[in-house]
Amino acid sequence: MPTQADLTPSGVEATRRDLDGAREWMAAICGPHWLRVSRPGHLQFHHSGTVLRAMSTTLGYVEYGTDVTVSVDTDAPLNCYSVSLPLTGEQELAARGRLWQSDRDNGLILTPHDAQELAIMGNCRKIIVAIPRPALRQVLEDLLKRPLNAPLTFEPGMDAANGEQAAWWRMVKYMLTETERGAPLSSHLHVAADLEQALLKGLLLSQPHNYSDALADALRPACSHYLLRARQFIQDNARENLTLDDIERAAGVSRFKLFDGFREQFGQSPMAYLKKFRLEAVRREMLADRSERNISAIAMGWGLTHLGRFSSEYKKLFGETPSETLKRAARASAVPRV
């Protein structure tokens, strides 16, 4: 059982003017890495933060005073998930054969076991959250109610301006502000551990990763048999000209009960579920085919016969047109692997 001292946030702070000193300090926070700087004489490293004692998550700010590059090797992986958001300046992450840009509206997650290179530019001052690998694994396994069968791997880019990811960053900023004010509430025995749990759970629920679908299934209320029948019917016959009457007959319940169940379980009507399933299927097939000339044929093959409406609904769901999806995928595949 943790004690009051275990759960009380503890401040950390360091200023370094030498490369080795800066690297060694951040290695103690995040794990082993290489640090390169083009103008060593301009290095003015400063890190300040708070260690949340329940699971050793570190929240704080870091700046190097000049452009630096951080490199991580799979032979010596990080010991934490490093989540950062610039307040000034920019970052660029090269990993998994792609590039991710980061500024005050776009955060980054460095997954520990990836080979990656992070360029920190423009006298970048950023928020950094370092979450130990065992802590995040423990929280995820508790949510899934089973052990992980593969390492947890996040999508590196985070939208810090919109949606659930932006809400997570607001939580981080709130916790930092309260800590700077003396944190009378967050240092309380019955609050500190809950706040840290909320931070880790919030990241797992808001940021896409390789367990996102499994986590959504684990947290979803048990699905009624008639909903399972209806969902399976939709997925098996999505290429056909389905009507609401068809789905209702497959479910074997009244239309009112069908609608009520779909909205409670899936957050949308049966026909909206069908449309989303078709659009996602088209996207997968497009990316597998990589041929722009086949967009219309693929869409029509999935029952989306009104092509103008298809393009509009596709953009609404995925934030880009079908042709933009293919162009972005082509650019990504052309970037050399790190």
Side-chain angles (χ1 to χ4, degrees), residues 7-307:
L7 296 176
T8 300
S10 175
V12 293
E13 185 165 5
T15 299
R16 300 286 188 272
R17 295 298 180 92
D18 63 298
L19 189 65
D20 288 341
R23 182 184 56 77
E24 288 171 6
W25 178 266
M26 289 310 296
I29 301 292
C30 298
H33 61 276
W34 297 99
L35 183 64
R36 302 194 306 274
V37 56
S38 57
R39 297 187 296 174
H42 289 77
L43 185 71
Q44 296 184 32
F45 169 80
H46 182 72
H47 174 254
S48 61
T50 298
V51 180
L52 305 178
R53 291 303 190 187
M55 305 185 84
S56 298
T57 298
T58 303
L59 283 73
Y61 306 92
V62 67
E63 57 188 317
Y64 289 86
T66 188
D67 296 354
V68 300
T69 301
V70 175
S71 300
V72 179
D73 195 331
T74 53
D75 292 335
L78 295 175
N79 55 30
C80 74
Y81 291 83
S82 177
V83 194
S84 61
L85 178 68
L87 299 174
T88 60
E90 298 178 342
Q91 305 180 102
E92 182 180 82
L93 176 66
R96 306 176 199 171
R98 289 183 55 189
L99 296 175
W100 283 268
Q101 306 298 322
S102 172
D103 53 26
R104 62 185 307 146
D105 290 330
N106 298 277
L108 288 174
I109 299 184
L110 273 64
T111 291
H113 46 272
D114 279 347
Q116 52 209 316
E117 188 168 273
L118 178 65
I120 305 173
M121 304 165 287
N123 192 18
C124 179
R125 181 173 186 264
K126 62 181 181 176
I127 298 172
I128 185 167
V129 182
I131 307 173
R133 297 169 69 178
L136 208 51
R137 182 186 184 99
Q138 177 186 327
V139 172
L140 180 54
E141 288 183 341
D142 288 346
L143 290 171
L144 292 173
K145 295 181 173 57
R146 65 171 175 83
L148 304 191
N149 52 23
L152 170 64
T153 302
F154 283 99
E155 177 72 16
M158 288 187 77
D159 185 348
N162 303 285
E164 293 180 345
Q165 296 162 24
W168 187 81
W169 278 112
R170 288 194 296 272
M171 185 191 307
V172 171
K173 291 174 182 178
Y174 167 78
M175 293 180 69
L176 284 168
T177 300
E178 286 300 296
T179 300
E180 291 160 3
R181 291 175 175 172
L185 185 60
S186 62
S187 62
H188 196 284
L189 173 65
H190 298 292
V191 177
D194 289 342
L195 285 174
E196 190 172 3
Q197 280 272 333
L199 193 70
L200 272 58
K201 288 179 181 178
L203 182 64
L204 289 166
L205 292 169
S206 63
Q207 179 67 10
H209 52 80
N210 56 327
Y211 287 95
S212 290
D213 290 343
L215 184 57
D217 289 340
L219 298 178
R220 187 177 293 125
C223 196
S224 301
H225 289 300
Y226 73 89
L227 290 175
L228 293 174
R229 286 196 301 270
R231 183 178 66 179
Q232 193 63 52
F233 177 79
I234 289 172
Q235 294 176 359
D236 290 345
N237 299 278
R239 292 181 180 273
E240 308 302 323
N241 184 25
L242 292 184
T243 66
L244 187 56
D245 288 337
D246 297 327
I247 301 171
E248 187 180 341
R249 281 193 296 272
V253 296
S254 69
R255 183 165 299 188
F256 174 82
K257 188 171 183 179
L258 181 66
F259 264 80
D260 193 50
F262 257 78
R263 290 197 182 279
E264 181 179 346
Q265 189 73 26
F266 307 121
Q268 55 194 165
S269 69
M271 296 307 287
Y273 181 94
L274 170 62
K275 179 174 71 176
K276 184 171 182 286
F277 182 82
R278 284 171 167 169
L279 290 170
E280 290 172 341
V282 169
R283 183 181 176 86
R284 287 193 299 271
E285 196 167 324
M286 279 169 42
L287 289 172
D289 185 83
R290 295 288 177 91
S291 175
E292 190 167 349
R293 69 179 184 277
N294 286 333
I295 291 176
S296 298
I298 293 170
M300 293 182 72
W302 281 100
L304 299 165
T305 55
H306 193 299
L307 296 179

